[in-house]
Amino acid sequence: EIVLTQSPGTLSLSPGDRATLSCRASQSVGTNYLAWYQQKPGQAPRLLIHGASSRATGIPDSFSGSGSGTNFTLTINRLEPEDFAVYYCLQYGSPPWTFGQGTKVEIK
Amino acid sequence: QVQLQESGPGLVKPSETLSLTCTVSGASVNSGGFFWSWIRQPPGKGLEWIGYMYYSGSRNFNPSLKSRVTISIDTANNQFSLKLNTVTAADTAIYYCARVSNWGSLPFDNWGQGTLVTVSS
């Protein structure tokens, strides 16, 4: 089973800042099948990025994903008030599919 | 617009079977290229993939739950279901149904709103 470790656990930033979130895998993620999700309180997660760097439909270009192998990054440029949420990475290259433990982006 | 909606009991007794149904609208559960999935999230915690099924019968489950999980598809009603037997308090969670698209290359692109299931006597 591939273990995903996200860092930091909490990121305290101001609107307009850039957020950089990390997701590290215990072994290489097949086909770079790494996705990112945003979850707000009381809501289901929303797909942001798939295939490590492809934005999902309707996701603004302020969100970008990068990385390969075992190291992946989600970058949010110019944080908007609605971007403060919890972010999860998911590897779906090898069963069982596994999620990271999440990074909370909170208002400083 | 694809919509998924979970339904089922919100309270299950320990050692009994948790049963949930996901009703799909705007897409067909027997369309090629889609896998139908369940994910859960204990209150205040992270996400756990339970498993998925393809309409042809192909399935894949999280090994940690495999011995207790059944996922099935009802094409007549455009639904899919989850059964988790011998539940304990550790199975208390929000249960989400979700779709995987493009033959697995687009994971969980549509989600239900989630339903809280509490295991308690």
Side-chain angles (χ1 to χ4, degrees):
Chain A
E1 172 175 322
I2 296 178
V3 176
L4 299 181
T5 302
Q6 292 187 239
S7 60
T10 302
L11 203 48
S12 298
L13 295 168
S14 300
D17 287 349
R18 169 183 290 185
T20 302
L21 288 66
S22 172
C23 178
R24 294 192 174 183
S26 60
Q27 54 189 284
S28 186
V29 175
T31 326
N32 286 333
Y33 271 6
L34 193 287
W36 291 93
Y37 296 83
Q38 176 194 68
Q39 187 177 34
K40 297 178 181 179
Q43 296 185 17
R46 177 175 70 144
L47 177 66
L48 301 174
I49 301 289
H50 61 94
S53 60
S54 298
R55 271 188 299 277
T57 302
I59 302 303
D61 60 8
S62 57
F63 290 89
S64 63
S66 63
S68 64
T70 61
N71 289 310
F72 299 88
T73 300
L74 174 70
T75 302
I76 313 170
N77 285 310
R78 301 178 308 278
L79 280 165
E80 300 286 347
E82 61 268 24
D83 298 333
F84 291 90
V86 179
Y87 292 84
Y88 293 96
C89 56
L90 163 78
Q91 73 79 22
Y92 55 107
S94 306
W97 294 5
T98 47
F99 289 92
Q101 82 279 18
T103 289
K104 181 179 182 179
V105 179
E106 66 176 20
I107 299 177
K108 188 174 181 180
Chain B
Q1 173 123 1
V2 179
Q3 291 188 320
L4 291 79
Q5 177 70 58
E6 303 89 352
S7 60
L11 182 64
V12 181
K13 290 182 169 55
S15 80
E16 295 190 345
T17 297
L18 178 160
S19 296
L20 296 173
T21 296
C22 183
T23 301
V24 180
S25 58
S28 176
V29 296
N30 61 3
S31 293
F34 298 112
F35 304 149
W36 304 98
S37 310
W38 290 94
I39 299 131
R40 69 181 184 178
Q41 184 173 37
K45 296 188 178 179
L47 299 161
E48 180 181 33
W49 172 69
I50 298 172
Y52 63 67
M53 181 174 178
Y54 188 59
Y55 80 95
S56 65
S58 174
R59 296 172 175 86
N60 207 333
F61 298 124
N62 191 323
S64 68
L65 298 169
K66 186 175 182 178
S67 64
R68 299 194 291 130
V69 170
T70 302
I71 295 177
S72 58
I73 288 180
D74 177 358
T75 57
N77 292 301
N78 214 39
Q79 298 173 328
F80 62 105
S81 299
L82 169 71
K83 292 188 186 297
L84 180 66
N85 59 36
T86 323
V87 297
T88 69
D91 295 310
T92 293
I94 298 170
Y95 285 77
Y96 295 100
C97 58
R99 186 184 75 170
V100 176
S101 300
N102 288 3
W103 299 101
S105 67
L106 193 60
F108 312 138
D109 61 334
N110 278 277
W111 295 66
Q113 65 188 26
T115 187
L116 175 63
V117 179
T118 301
V119 178
S120 175
S121 55

